[in-house]
């Protein structure tokens, strides 16, 4: 993972979320990507906390924005792996969050795993 690409992704991802532009956020993901989050389990009642595909995840994110209409992210740090990036940020209600993004060869996210502080 190239540092410039990682930082550009992080900036664009946070900006898209702060604009509440779900389609813009989804543009960074492969069509069949997998999203895993404890909030999926909480909000949607999906025990595995996992959804697959832009349609399913987009619907979840739109619902989440209805529940937290003032959602705003503040990027703290970008951690770079071999083919992954971890964003460490403040999320809803200023809770610390970390999200790991695995990328395919074309530069799209194929898997994202979110983690949240209690």
């Amino acid at each position: 993972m190239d540092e410039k690409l990682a930082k550009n992704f992080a900036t664009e991802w946070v900006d898209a979320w702060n604009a509440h532009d779900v389609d813009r956020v989804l543009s960074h993901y492969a069509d069949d990507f997998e999203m895993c989050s404890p909030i999926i389990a909480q909000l949607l009642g999906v025990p595995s906390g996992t959804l697959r595909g832009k349609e399913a995840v987009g619907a979840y994110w739109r619902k989440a924005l209805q529940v937290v209409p003032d959602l705003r992210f503040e990027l703290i740090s970008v951690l770079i792996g071999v083919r992954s990036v971890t964003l460490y940020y403040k999320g809803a209600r200023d809770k610390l969050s970390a999200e790991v993004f695995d990328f395919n060869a074309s530069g799209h996210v194929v898997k994202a795993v979110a983690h949240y502080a209690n």
Side-chain angles (χ1 to χ4, degrees):
M1 176 60 63
D2 174 85
E3 181 178 359
K4 183 178 178 182
L5 290 174
K7 289 185 176 182
N8 286 342
F9 166 77
T11 300
E12 169 56 25
W13 187 86
V14 169
D15 289 348
W17 269 111
N18 288 343
H20 294 187
D21 188 339
V22 172
D23 291 330
R24 190 168 140 203
V25 176
L26 285 168
S27 73
H28 298 283
Y29 297 80
D31 288 340
D32 64 345
F33 83 100
E34 180 179 286
M35 176 76 211
C36 184
S37 168
I39 296 176
I40 291 171
Q42 266 181 342
L43 191 63
L44 301 182
V46 176
S48 68
T50 302
L51 295 173
R52 182 175 292 279
K54 286 185 176 183
E55 187 176 330
V57 178
Y60 153 64
W61 286 341
R62 285 179 179 91
K63 183 173 183 173
L65 285 171
Q66 289 174 349
V67 173
V68 187
D70 61 342
L71 181 68
R72 181 157 182 80
F73 294 158
E74 179 186 334
L75 186 63
I76 297 169
S77 187
V78 179
L79 309 172
I80 302 168
V82 174
R83 60 176 175 77
S84 62
V85 172
T86 300
L87 301 186
Y88 183 50
Y89 60 97
K90 284 185 183 177
R93 299 170 189 92
D94 282 336
K95 284 189 175 185
L96 293 177
S97 306
E99 196 157 339
V100 180
F101 303 87
D102 288 328
F103 290 81
N104 63 17
S106 67
H108 288 94
V109 177
V110 293
K111 184 173 184 178
V113 181
H115 305 79
Y116 306 103
N118 288 330

